[in-house]
Amino acid sequence: MTKKWAGLAICCLATLLLSVDLTVLHLALPRLVADLGASSTQLLWIGDIYGFALAGLLITMGNVGDRIGRKRLLLIGAVAFAAASAVTAYAPNPELLIVARALLGVAGATIMPSTLSIIRNVFTDPAERTTAIGVWSGMSAAGFALGPVIGGLLLDHFWWGSVFLINLPIMALIVVVGVRVLPESRNPEPGRLDLISVALSFAGIVAVVYAVKEAADKGLAHVDVQVTGVLGVAGLLVFVWRQTKLAEPLIDVRLFRRRAFSASIGTNLLAIFTMMAMSLFFAWYFQLVLGWSPLQAGLAGLPGGLSGAIGGVVAAPLVNRIGRNGVVALGLLLNAVAFFYYSTIGLEVSYPVMACAMVVGGMGIGLAFTVNNDNVLATAPRERAGAAAAVSETSFELGGALGIAILGTVLNSTYAGRLEVPAGVPGEAARESIAGALATAESLPAAQAGQLVLAAREAFVQAVNVTALATSAMLVVVAALALVGLRGVPKVIPEEDLVRAH
């Protein structure tokens, strides 16, 4: 193996671990309800605060990497990620766990932009570059599948914090090998880092996310929801305005005027949006509806993620046959077909059929991810491609977090509305989540407990059906938009159209 491909392996390992951390906690969420007493809102925060912190800082950390060196930033981030993982593993309550997960996101934000920048710098041949990006995208998809499996293996034998301790030896390997095989690269003329833009982007994203979550929990009528939402949107609008005035903006927002750029970013965001949400839903469905163990639930979701990795590898040759817009549209349509099937599942399911649907959907995700990542680089001029890549990575992480927040909220709201609590049974905890209903049932007489468990499972399955059907329809629309928006992007993207990493 040449040093170039060894460097790709290290970048993919780092990306794989970050993807694992987005999903590894899903199987542990039911245990957090019992062990830490987390509410449904806290569970959503625990699940997606990592992704929001990561997304909020990717642009900033990408700029920092340009200044101090991308290899150096990746190695610093790996050490910080390991330290934050240890803190997360031993969090004694939901509040501290949320804070620790946010710190993990901050550390992860130093790693993700460095990996793609290093790959861009090393692979200058167009064919090799597309293949390398496909492998990198495939590892991201594989991480989503491996997260629940790793979590299931550990949860079958250890406490929930063990899912984070596994990060320590892997990050140690990345540091030790990365020092030897990764090349250093930096921008010799990066310009000034605008701290006001950093603050505006981060504060705006956090405020908007807070407003969305609180609106789902309290309703739009609450003053704090309205004020926070308005301030968040205002902050982001000021951020966008400021970028148009700076000589060295964090994001060149004019790129969004390009139809192909916007289509690639949007479809990437929506693809991971759906993938992350269904990963969470399946973790609950397999455990709390079908009664499977965490390990069984993790293994059950494996076909989808692994097929996503395969989709990333086969995307490059498929582009030569049907074009870039055709591959992205095909990927989204395959995912829509899978979601349509998910809208039909019930209290019992044929797993072989469901596994086939996961393979179809996962393959579609892999196709869309790979081509869109390459498209973002193609539709930006050389002097703006670095910022364009950072936006792509941000949409990836933000899409995952938004998927849990928004589709998770839809699921919870539908579940609460469909649940018919048996007479004489306290309904507050049962309506919080299906895990809360099952926990309530443990303290009830056998007859009432059986009625509540059946009602909760039926309501949850109905909620999954409604959410999956809406998502399927959305994906069909997005596929049509991608087919039009990406029309004209060349099948072979020459190297001169890429940013030349310094």
PDB file of all heavy atoms in Angstrom, residues 17-29 47 50 101 104 143-155 160-167 276 279 283:
ATOM      1  N   LEU A  17     -15.358   6.609  12.438  1.00  0.00           N
ATOM      2  CA  LEU A  17     -15.600   6.734  13.872  1.00  0.00           C
ATOM      3  C   LEU A  17     -16.582   7.865  14.181  1.00  0.00           C
ATOM      4  O   LEU A  17     -17.450   7.733  15.056  1.00  0.00           O
ATOM      5  CB  LEU A  17     -14.284   6.982  14.610  1.00  0.00           C
ATOM      6  CG  LEU A  17     -14.362   6.954  16.143  1.00  0.00           C
ATOM      7  CD1 LEU A  17     -14.892   5.612  16.623  1.00  0.00           C
ATOM      8  CD2 LEU A  17     -13.008   7.239  16.756  1.00  0.00           C
ATOM      9  N   LEU A  18     -16.473   8.978  13.455  1.00  0.00           N
ATOM     10  CA  LEU A  18     -17.418  10.071  13.661  1.00  0.00           C
ATOM     11  C   LEU A  18     -18.834   9.649  13.296  1.00  0.00           C
ATOM     12  O   LEU A  18     -19.801  10.022  13.968  1.00  0.00           O
ATOM     13  CB  LEU A  18     -17.005  11.293  12.831  1.00  0.00           C
ATOM     14  CG  LEU A  18     -15.699  11.976  13.236  1.00  0.00           C
ATOM     15  CD1 LEU A  18     -15.452  13.180  12.336  1.00  0.00           C
ATOM     16  CD2 LEU A  18     -15.715  12.405  14.690  1.00  0.00           C
ATOM     17  N   SER A  19     -18.974   8.871  12.227  1.00  0.00           N
ATOM     18  CA  SER A  19     -20.297   8.378  11.835  1.00  0.00           C
ATOM     19  C   SER A  19     -20.840   7.396  12.858  1.00  0.00           C
ATOM     20  O   SER A  19     -22.039   7.399  13.167  1.00  0.00           O
ATOM     21  CB  SER A  19     -20.219   7.711  10.459  1.00  0.00           C
ATOM     22  OG  SER A  19     -19.831   8.640   9.470  1.00  0.00           O
ATOM     23  N   VAL A  20     -19.976   6.547  13.378  1.00  0.00           N
ATOM     24  CA  VAL A  20     -20.393   5.602  14.424  1.00  0.00           C
ATOM     25  C   VAL A  20     -20.948   6.357  15.618  1.00  0.00           C
ATOM     26  O   VAL A  20     -21.971   5.984  16.201  1.00  0.00           O
ATOM     27  CB  VAL A  20     -19.212   4.705  14.840  1.00  0.00           C
ATOM     28  CG1 VAL A  20     -19.519   3.986  16.153  1.00  0.00           C
ATOM     29  CG2 VAL A  20     -18.901   3.682  13.750  1.00  0.00           C
ATOM     30  N   ASP A  21     -20.298   7.446  15.982  1.00  0.00           N
ATOM     31  CA  ASP A  21     -20.727   8.191  17.165  1.00  0.00           C
ATOM     32  C   ASP A  21     -22.068   8.893  16.972  1.00  0.00           C
ATOM     33  O   ASP A  21     -22.704   9.275  17.953  1.00  0.00           O
ATOM     34  CB  ASP A  21     -19.660   9.223  17.569  1.00  0.00           C
ATOM     35  CG  ASP A  21     -18.871   8.756  18.777  1.00  0.00           C
ATOM     36  OD1 ASP A  21     -18.220   7.703  18.674  1.00  0.00           O
ATOM     37  OD2 ASP A  21     -18.923   9.420  19.826  1.00  0.00           O
ATOM     38  N   LEU A  22     -22.488   9.078  15.724  1.00  0.00           N
ATOM     39  CA  LEU A  22     -23.797   9.668  15.484  1.00  0.00           C
ATOM     40  C   LEU A  22     -24.921   8.679  15.761  1.00  0.00           C
ATOM     41  O   LEU A  22     -26.063   9.073  16.009  1.00  0.00           O
ATOM     42  CB  LEU A  22     -23.901  10.164  14.035  1.00  0.00           C
ATOM     43  CG  LEU A  22     -23.314  11.555  13.749  1.00  0.00           C
ATOM     44  CD1 LEU A  22     -23.254  11.789  12.250  1.00  0.00           C
ATOM     45  CD2 LEU A  22     -24.111  12.650  14.426  1.00  0.00           C
ATOM     46  N   THR A  23     -24.618   7.370  15.705  1.00  0.00           N
ATOM     47  CA  THR A  23     -25.670   6.365  15.854  1.00  0.00           C
ATOM     48  C   THR A  23     -25.460   5.404  17.006  1.00  0.00           C
ATOM     49  O   THR A  23     -26.393   4.701  17.396  1.00  0.00           O
ATOM     50  CB  THR A  23     -25.786   5.526  14.565  1.00  0.00           C
ATOM     51  OG1 THR A  23     -24.520   4.898  14.291  1.00  0.00           O
ATOM     52  CG2 THR A  23     -26.182   6.387  13.385  1.00  0.00           C
ATOM     53  N   VAL A  24     -24.248   5.354  17.563  1.00  0.00           N
ATOM     54  CA  VAL A  24     -23.938   4.322  18.552  1.00  0.00           C
ATOM     55  C   VAL A  24     -24.797   4.441  19.802  1.00  0.00           C
ATOM     56  O   VAL A  24     -25.053   3.453  20.496  1.00  0.00           O
ATOM     57  CB  VAL A  24     -22.431   4.387  18.918  1.00  0.00           C
ATOM     58  CG1 VAL A  24     -22.127   5.607  19.771  1.00  0.00           C
ATOM     59  CG2 VAL A  24     -21.996   3.109  19.636  1.00  0.00           C
ATOM     60  N   LEU A  25     -25.278   5.655  20.097  1.00  0.00           N
ATOM     61  CA  LEU A  25     -26.054   5.854  21.318  1.00  0.00           C
ATOM     62  C   LEU A  25     -27.529   5.479  21.166  1.00  0.00           C
ATOM     63  O   LEU A  25     -28.245   5.341  22.154  1.00  0.00           O
ATOM     64  CB  LEU A  25     -25.944   7.319  21.769  1.00  0.00           C
ATOM     65  CG  LEU A  25     -26.433   7.661  23.185  1.00  0.00           C
ATOM     66  CD1 LEU A  25     -25.654   6.877  24.227  1.00  0.00           C
ATOM     67  CD2 LEU A  25     -26.333   9.146  23.448  1.00  0.00           C
ATOM     68  N   HIS A  26     -27.983   5.283  19.922  1.00  0.00           N
ATOM     69  CA  HIS A  26     -29.413   5.052  19.700  1.00  0.00           C
ATOM     70  C   HIS A  26     -29.941   3.848  20.478  1.00  0.00           C
ATOM     71  O   HIS A  26     -31.007   3.908  21.081  1.00  0.00           O
ATOM     72  CB  HIS A  26     -29.689   4.855  18.212  1.00  0.00           C
ATOM     73  CG  HIS A  26     -29.560   6.123  17.425  1.00  0.00           C
ATOM     74  ND1 HIS A  26     -29.669   6.161  16.059  1.00  0.00           N
ATOM     75  CD2 HIS A  26     -29.331   7.400  17.818  1.00  0.00           C
ATOM     76  CE1 HIS A  26     -29.516   7.414  15.635  1.00  0.00           C
ATOM     77  NE2 HIS A  26     -29.302   8.173  16.687  1.00  0.00           N
ATOM     78  N   LEU A  27     -29.184   2.757  20.468  1.00  0.00           N
ATOM     79  CA  LEU A  27     -29.644   1.561  21.156  1.00  0.00           C
ATOM     80  C   LEU A  27     -29.618   1.729  22.668  1.00  0.00           C
ATOM     81  O   LEU A  27     -30.304   1.001  23.394  1.00  0.00           O
ATOM     82  CB  LEU A  27     -28.784   0.358  20.761  1.00  0.00           C
ATOM     83  CG  LEU A  27     -28.903  -0.100  19.306  1.00  0.00           C
ATOM     84  CD1 LEU A  27     -27.933  -1.225  19.014  1.00  0.00           C
ATOM     85  CD2 LEU A  27     -30.320  -0.542  18.987  1.00  0.00           C
ATOM     86  N   ALA A  28     -28.822   2.684  23.152  1.00  0.00           N
ATOM     87  CA  ALA A  28     -28.727   2.896  24.597  1.00  0.00           C
ATOM     88  C   ALA A  28     -29.806   3.833  25.118  1.00  0.00           C
ATOM     89  O   ALA A  28     -29.987   3.936  26.337  1.00  0.00           O
ATOM     90  CB  ALA A  28     -27.344   3.463  24.955  1.00  0.00           C
ATOM     91  N   LEU A  29     -30.531   4.503  24.231  1.00  0.00           N
ATOM     92  CA  LEU A  29     -31.524   5.479  24.683  1.00  0.00           C
ATOM     93  C   LEU A  29     -32.591   4.878  25.598  1.00  0.00           C
ATOM     94  O   LEU A  29     -32.951   5.499  26.607  1.00  0.00           O
ATOM     95  CB  LEU A  29     -32.167   6.167  23.473  1.00  0.00           C
ATOM     96  CG  LEU A  29     -31.247   7.108  22.688  1.00  0.00           C
ATOM     97  CD1 LEU A  29     -32.001   7.721  21.505  1.00  0.00           C
ATOM     98  CD2 LEU A  29     -30.683   8.206  23.570  1.00  0.00           C
ATOM     99  N   GLY A  47     -29.367  12.736  21.727  1.00  0.00           N
ATOM    100  CA  GLY A  47     -29.144  12.120  20.435  1.00  0.00           C
ATOM    101  C   GLY A  47     -28.549  13.038  19.391  1.00  0.00           C
ATOM    102  O   GLY A  47     -27.722  12.613  18.588  1.00  0.00           O
ATOM    103  N   TYR A  50     -24.633  16.338  19.612  1.00  0.00           N
ATOM    104  CA  TYR A  50     -23.324  16.053  19.012  1.00  0.00           C
ATOM    105  C   TYR A  50     -23.276  16.545  17.564  1.00  0.00           C
ATOM    106  O   TYR A  50     -22.332  17.224  17.151  1.00  0.00           O
ATOM    107  CB  TYR A  50     -23.068  14.545  19.082  1.00  0.00           C
ATOM    108  CG  TYR A  50     -21.931  14.035  18.238  1.00  0.00           C
ATOM    109  CD1 TYR A  50     -20.619  14.116  18.687  1.00  0.00           C
ATOM    110  CD2 TYR A  50     -22.160  13.437  16.997  1.00  0.00           C
ATOM    111  CE1 TYR A  50     -19.568  13.626  17.917  1.00  0.00           C
ATOM    112  CE2 TYR A  50     -21.125  12.942  16.231  1.00  0.00           C
ATOM    113  CZ  TYR A  50     -19.835  13.029  16.694  1.00  0.00           C
ATOM    114  OH  TYR A  50     -18.805  12.546  15.926  1.00  0.00           O
ATOM    115  N   ARG A 101     -21.690  15.362  25.286  1.00  0.00           N
ATOM    116  CA  ARG A 101     -21.898  15.078  23.865  1.00  0.00           C
ATOM    117  C   ARG A 101     -21.605  16.304  23.003  1.00  0.00           C
ATOM    118  O   ARG A 101     -21.098  16.194  21.883  1.00  0.00           O
ATOM    119  CB  ARG A 101     -23.337  14.621  23.635  1.00  0.00           C
ATOM    120  CG  ARG A 101     -23.647  13.228  24.157  1.00  0.00           C
ATOM    121  CD  ARG A 101     -23.210  12.158  23.193  1.00  0.00           C
ATOM    122  NE  ARG A 101     -24.092  12.090  22.025  1.00  0.00           N
ATOM    123  CZ  ARG A 101     -23.823  11.385  20.921  1.00  0.00           C
ATOM    124  NH1 ARG A 101     -22.699  10.716  20.829  1.00  0.00           N
ATOM    125  NH2 ARG A 101     -24.675  11.358  19.924  1.00  0.00           N
ATOM    126  N   LEU A 104     -17.941  16.441  22.517  1.00  0.00           N
ATOM    127  CA  LEU A 104     -17.557  15.493  21.478  1.00  0.00           C
ATOM    128  C   LEU A 104     -17.758  16.099  20.095  1.00  0.00           C
ATOM    129  O   LEU A 104     -16.937  15.912  19.189  1.00  0.00           O
ATOM    130  CB  LEU A 104     -18.400  14.221  21.601  1.00  0.00           C
ATOM    131  CG  LEU A 104     -17.858  13.063  22.431  1.00  0.00           C
ATOM    132  CD1 LEU A 104     -18.864  11.913  22.445  1.00  0.00           C
ATOM    133  CD2 LEU A 104     -16.513  12.584  21.922  1.00  0.00           C
ATOM    134  N   GLY A 143     -20.370   3.584   8.857  1.00  0.00           N
ATOM    135  CA  GLY A 143     -20.361   3.963  10.267  1.00  0.00           C
ATOM    136  C   GLY A 143     -21.757   3.984  10.866  1.00  0.00           C
ATOM    137  O   GLY A 143     -21.942   3.601  12.033  1.00  0.00           O
ATOM    138  N   PHE A 144     -22.736   4.407  10.084  1.00  0.00           N
ATOM    139  CA  PHE A 144     -24.111   4.420  10.576  1.00  0.00           C
ATOM    140  C   PHE A 144     -24.606   3.004  10.865  1.00  0.00           C
ATOM    141  O   PHE A 144     -25.385   2.788  11.783  1.00  0.00           O
ATOM    142  CB  PHE A 144     -25.029   5.102   9.562  1.00  0.00           C
ATOM    143  CG  PHE A 144     -24.794   6.571   9.439  1.00  0.00           C
ATOM    144  CD1 PHE A 144     -24.273   7.113   8.278  1.00  0.00           C
ATOM    145  CD2 PHE A 144     -25.081   7.418  10.485  1.00  0.00           C
ATOM    146  CE1 PHE A 144     -24.045   8.471   8.162  1.00  0.00           C
ATOM    147  CE2 PHE A 144     -24.852   8.775  10.383  1.00  0.00           C
ATOM    148  CZ  PHE A 144     -24.333   9.304   9.218  1.00  0.00           C
ATOM    149  N   ALA A 145     -24.145   2.043  10.054  1.00  0.00           N
ATOM    150  CA  ALA A 145     -24.562   0.659  10.266  1.00  0.00           C
ATOM    151  C   ALA A 145     -23.811   0.027  11.427  1.00  0.00           C
ATOM    152  O   ALA A 145     -24.378  -0.714  12.229  1.00  0.00           O
ATOM    153  CB  ALA A 145     -24.342  -0.150   8.992  1.00  0.00           C
ATOM    154  N   LEU A 146     -22.515   0.313  11.518  1.00  0.00           N
ATOM    155  CA  LEU A 146     -21.700  -0.310  12.553  1.00  0.00           C
ATOM    156  C   LEU A 146     -21.984   0.253  13.937  1.00  0.00           C
ATOM    157  O   LEU A 146     -21.799  -0.449  14.938  1.00  0.00           O
ATOM    158  CB  LEU A 146     -20.216  -0.134  12.216  1.00  0.00           C
ATOM    159  CG  LEU A 146     -19.722  -0.923  11.004  1.00  0.00           C
ATOM    160  CD1 LEU A 146     -18.278  -0.557  10.691  1.00  0.00           C
ATOM    161  CD2 LEU A 146     -19.857  -2.421  11.249  1.00  0.00           C
ATOM    162  N   GLY A 147     -22.443   1.509  14.002  1.00  0.00           N
ATOM    163  CA  GLY A 147     -22.729   2.113  15.301  1.00  0.00           C
ATOM    164  C   GLY A 147     -23.688   1.288  16.142  1.00  0.00           C
ATOM    165  O   GLY A 147     -23.382   0.916  17.280  1.00  0.00           O
ATOM    166  N   PRO A 148     -24.873   0.953  15.603  1.00  0.00           N
ATOM    167  CA  PRO A 148     -25.798   0.129  16.381  1.00  0.00           C
ATOM    168  C   PRO A 148     -25.259  -1.257  16.703  1.00  0.00           C
ATOM    169  O   PRO A 148     -25.557  -1.813  17.764  1.00  0.00           O
ATOM    170  CB  PRO A 148     -27.030   0.041  15.467  1.00  0.00           C
ATOM    171  CG  PRO A 148     -26.957   1.265  14.616  1.00  0.00           C
ATOM    172  CD  PRO A 148     -25.501   1.481  14.381  1.00  0.00           C
ATOM    173  N   VAL A 149     -24.467  -1.861  15.787  1.00  0.00           N
ATOM    174  CA  VAL A 149     -23.916  -3.186  16.060  1.00  0.00           C
ATOM    175  C   VAL A 149     -22.913  -3.124  17.212  1.00  0.00           C
ATOM    176  O   VAL A 149     -22.949  -3.931  18.152  1.00  0.00           O
ATOM    177  CB  VAL A 149     -23.241  -3.765  14.802  1.00  0.00           C
ATOM    178  CG1 VAL A 149     -22.548  -5.085  15.127  1.00  0.00           C
ATOM    179  CG2 VAL A 149     -24.269  -3.973  13.703  1.00  0.00           C
ATOM    180  N   ILE A 150     -22.012  -2.155  17.119  1.00  0.00           N
ATOM    181  CA  ILE A 150     -21.032  -1.987  18.199  1.00  0.00           C
ATOM    182  C   ILE A 150     -21.736  -1.674  19.506  1.00  0.00           C
ATOM    183  O   ILE A 150     -21.408  -2.229  20.565  1.00  0.00           O
ATOM    184  CB  ILE A 150     -20.028  -0.882  17.832  1.00  0.00           C
ATOM    185  CG1 ILE A 150     -19.182  -1.317  16.628  1.00  0.00           C
ATOM    186  CG2 ILE A 150     -19.123  -0.554  19.017  1.00  0.00           C
ATOM    187  CD1 ILE A 150     -18.323  -0.220  16.050  1.00  0.00           C
ATOM    188  N   GLY A 151     -22.725  -0.783  19.426  1.00  0.00           N
ATOM    189  CA  GLY A 151     -23.489  -0.456  20.625  1.00  0.00           C
ATOM    190  C   GLY A 151     -24.198  -1.675  21.190  1.00  0.00           C
ATOM    191  O   GLY A 151     -24.224  -1.893  22.406  1.00  0.00           O
ATOM    192  N   GLY A 152     -24.776  -2.494  20.303  1.00  0.00           N
ATOM    193  CA  GLY A 152     -25.476  -3.688  20.761  1.00  0.00           C
ATOM    194  C   GLY A 152     -24.556  -4.680  21.438  1.00  0.00           C
ATOM    195  O   GLY A 152     -24.886  -5.257  22.483  1.00  0.00           O
ATOM    196  N   LEU A 153     -23.363  -4.910  20.849  1.00  0.00           N
ATOM    197  CA  LEU A 153     -22.401  -5.819  21.451  1.00  0.00           C
ATOM    198  C   LEU A 153     -22.003  -5.363  22.851  1.00  0.00           C
ATOM    199  O   LEU A 153     -21.928  -6.169  23.793  1.00  0.00           O
ATOM    200  CB  LEU A 153     -21.151  -5.911  20.559  1.00  0.00           C
ATOM    201  CG  LEU A 153     -21.265  -6.772  19.301  1.00  0.00           C
ATOM    202  CD1 LEU A 153     -20.068  -6.547  18.395  1.00  0.00           C
ATOM    203  CD2 LEU A 153     -21.371  -8.249  19.676  1.00  0.00           C
ATOM    204  N   LEU A 154     -21.749  -4.078  22.986  1.00  0.00           N
ATOM    205  CA  LEU A 154     -21.313  -3.558  24.282  1.00  0.00           C
ATOM    206  C   LEU A 154     -22.453  -3.537  25.298  1.00  0.00           C
ATOM    207  O   LEU A 154     -22.257  -3.868  26.474  1.00  0.00           O
ATOM    208  CB  LEU A 154     -20.733  -2.148  24.107  1.00  0.00           C
ATOM    209  CG  LEU A 154     -19.426  -2.080  23.314  1.00  0.00           C
ATOM    210  CD1 LEU A 154     -19.043  -0.642  23.023  1.00  0.00           C
ATOM    211  CD2 LEU A 154     -18.295  -2.772  24.077  1.00  0.00           C
ATOM    212  N   LEU A 155     -23.649  -3.149  24.846  1.00  0.00           N
ATOM    213  CA  LEU A 155     -24.777  -3.052  25.775  1.00  0.00           C
ATOM    214  C   LEU A 155     -25.252  -4.414  26.263  1.00  0.00           C
ATOM    215  O   LEU A 155     -25.867  -4.506  27.328  1.00  0.00           O
ATOM    216  CB  LEU A 155     -25.935  -2.306  25.105  1.00  0.00           C
ATOM    217  CG  LEU A 155     -25.712  -0.810  24.891  1.00  0.00           C
ATOM    218  CD1 LEU A 155     -26.813  -0.232  24.016  1.00  0.00           C
ATOM    219  CD2 LEU A 155     -25.645  -0.064  26.205  1.00  0.00           C
ATOM    220  N   TRP A 160     -24.166   1.539  29.524  1.00  0.00           N
ATOM    221  CA  TRP A 160     -24.283   2.357  28.319  1.00  0.00           C
ATOM    222  C   TRP A 160     -23.045   3.196  28.033  1.00  0.00           C
ATOM    223  O   TRP A 160     -22.739   3.510  26.876  1.00  0.00           O
ATOM    224  CB  TRP A 160     -25.518   3.252  28.400  1.00  0.00           C
ATOM    225  CG  TRP A 160     -25.519   4.215  29.566  1.00  0.00           C
ATOM    226  CD1 TRP A 160     -26.110   4.041  30.770  1.00  0.00           C
ATOM    227  CD2 TRP A 160     -24.885   5.501  29.614  1.00  0.00           C
ATOM    228  NE1 TRP A 160     -25.890   5.124  31.590  1.00  0.00           N
ATOM    229  CE2 TRP A 160     -25.138   6.042  30.892  1.00  0.00           C
ATOM    230  CE3 TRP A 160     -24.144   6.245  28.708  1.00  0.00           C
ATOM    231  CZ2 TRP A 160     -24.657   7.281  31.289  1.00  0.00           C
ATOM    232  CZ3 TRP A 160     -23.656   7.488  29.100  1.00  0.00           C
ATOM    233  CH2 TRP A 160     -23.922   7.996  30.373  1.00  0.00           C
ATOM    234  N   GLY A 161     -22.289   3.600  29.054  1.00  0.00           N
ATOM    235  CA  GLY A 161     -21.109   4.431  28.828  1.00  0.00           C
ATOM    236  C   GLY A 161     -20.005   3.742  28.059  1.00  0.00           C
ATOM    237  O   GLY A 161     -19.112   4.399  27.499  1.00  0.00           O
ATOM    238  N   SER A 162     -20.069   2.413  27.984  1.00  0.00           N
ATOM    239  CA  SER A 162     -19.016   1.681  27.275  1.00  0.00           C
ATOM    240  C   SER A 162     -18.994   1.987  25.784  1.00  0.00           C
ATOM    241  O   SER A 162     -17.960   1.795  25.130  1.00  0.00           O
ATOM    242  CB  SER A 162     -19.201   0.173  27.491  1.00  0.00           C
ATOM    243  OG  SER A 162     -20.444  -0.267  26.966  1.00  0.00           O
ATOM    244  N   VAL A 163     -20.127   2.464  25.228  1.00  0.00           N
ATOM    245  CA  VAL A 163     -20.160   2.739  23.796  1.00  0.00           C
ATOM    246  C   VAL A 163     -19.248   3.903  23.419  1.00  0.00           C
ATOM    247  O   VAL A 163     -18.932   4.082  22.229  1.00  0.00           O
ATOM    248  CB  VAL A 163     -21.604   3.033  23.320  1.00  0.00           C
ATOM    249  CG1 VAL A 163     -22.507   1.845  23.595  1.00  0.00           C
ATOM    250  CG2 VAL A 163     -22.170   4.288  23.965  1.00  0.00           C
ATOM    251  N   PHE A 164     -18.829   4.682  24.400  1.00  0.00           N
ATOM    252  CA  PHE A 164     -17.928   5.802  24.116  1.00  0.00           C
ATOM    253  C   PHE A 164     -16.468   5.468  24.419  1.00  0.00           C
ATOM    254  O   PHE A 164     -15.569   6.058  23.828  1.00  0.00           O
ATOM    255  CB  PHE A 164     -18.352   7.027  24.933  1.00  0.00           C
ATOM    256  CG  PHE A 164     -19.719   7.516  24.585  1.00  0.00           C
ATOM    257  CD1 PHE A 164     -20.784   7.314  25.440  1.00  0.00           C
ATOM    258  CD2 PHE A 164     -19.954   8.163  23.389  1.00  0.00           C
ATOM    259  CE1 PHE A 164     -22.055   7.748  25.119  1.00  0.00           C
ATOM    260  CE2 PHE A 164     -21.222   8.601  23.054  1.00  0.00           C
ATOM    261  CZ  PHE A 164     -22.274   8.382  23.915  1.00  0.00           C
ATOM    262  N   LEU A 165     -16.225   4.541  25.318  1.00  0.00           N
ATOM    263  CA  LEU A 165     -14.844   4.198  25.666  1.00  0.00           C
ATOM    264  C   LEU A 165     -14.107   3.530  24.515  1.00  0.00           C
ATOM    265  O   LEU A 165     -12.874   3.566  24.460  1.00  0.00           O
ATOM    266  CB  LEU A 165     -14.827   3.283  26.894  1.00  0.00           C
ATOM    267  CG  LEU A 165     -15.263   3.928  28.219  1.00  0.00           C
ATOM    268  CD1 LEU A 165     -15.147   2.925  29.347  1.00  0.00           C
ATOM    269  CD2 LEU A 165     -14.442   5.177  28.532  1.00  0.00           C
ATOM    270  N   ILE A 166     -14.845   2.929  23.578  1.00  0.00           N
ATOM    271  CA  ILE A 166     -14.174   2.293  22.435  1.00  0.00           C
ATOM    272  C   ILE A 166     -13.489   3.313  21.542  1.00  0.00           C
ATOM    273  O   ILE A 166     -12.629   2.959  20.730  1.00  0.00           O
ATOM    274  CB  ILE A 166     -15.170   1.469  21.603  1.00  0.00           C
ATOM    275  CG1 ILE A 166     -16.287   2.369  21.059  1.00  0.00           C
ATOM    276  CG2 ILE A 166     -15.741   0.319  22.402  1.00  0.00           C
ATOM    277  CD1 ILE A 166     -17.153   1.692  20.027  1.00  0.00           C
ATOM    278  N   ASN A 167     -13.849   4.598  21.670  1.00  0.00           N
ATOM    279  CA  ASN A 167     -13.214   5.629  20.850  1.00  0.00           C
ATOM    280  C   ASN A 167     -11.735   5.810  21.193  1.00  0.00           C
ATOM    281  O   ASN A 167     -10.945   6.213  20.332  1.00  0.00           O
ATOM    282  CB  ASN A 167     -13.929   6.966  21.042  1.00  0.00           C
ATOM    283  CG  ASN A 167     -15.345   6.954  20.514  1.00  0.00           C
ATOM    284  OD1 ASN A 167     -15.704   6.137  19.684  1.00  0.00           O
ATOM    285  ND2 ASN A 167     -16.171   7.864  21.020  1.00  0.00           N
ATOM    286  N   MET A 276     -30.501   9.212   9.256  1.00  0.00           N
ATOM    287  CA  MET A 276     -30.291   9.292  10.702  1.00  0.00           C
ATOM    288  C   MET A 276     -31.589   9.054  11.455  1.00  0.00           C
ATOM    289  O   MET A 276     -31.611   8.362  12.479  1.00  0.00           O
ATOM    290  CB  MET A 276     -29.722  10.657  11.072  1.00  0.00           C
ATOM    291  CG  MET A 276     -28.226  10.775  10.899  1.00  0.00           C
ATOM    292  SD  MET A 276     -27.329   9.639  11.957  1.00  0.00           S
ATOM    293  CE  MET A 276     -27.875  10.191  13.559  1.00  0.00           C
ATOM    294  N   SER A 279     -32.540   5.396  11.442  1.00  0.00           N
ATOM    295  CA  SER A 279     -31.648   4.625  12.304  1.00  0.00           C
ATOM    296  C   SER A 279     -32.142   4.652  13.740  1.00  0.00           C
ATOM    297  O   SER A 279     -32.146   3.631  14.439  1.00  0.00           O
ATOM    298  CB  SER A 279     -30.224   5.194  12.224  1.00  0.00           C
ATOM    299  OG  SER A 279     -29.371   4.548  13.143  1.00  0.00           O
ATOM    300  N   ALA A 283     -33.953   1.444  15.882  1.00  0.00           N
ATOM    301  CA  ALA A 283     -33.398   1.019  17.166  1.00  0.00           C
ATOM    302  C   ALA A 283     -34.519   0.803  18.181  1.00  0.00           C
ATOM    303  O   ALA A 283     -34.506  -0.169  18.946  1.00  0.00           O
ATOM    304  CB  ALA A 283     -32.401   2.060  17.678  1.00  0.00           C
TER     305      ALA A 283
END
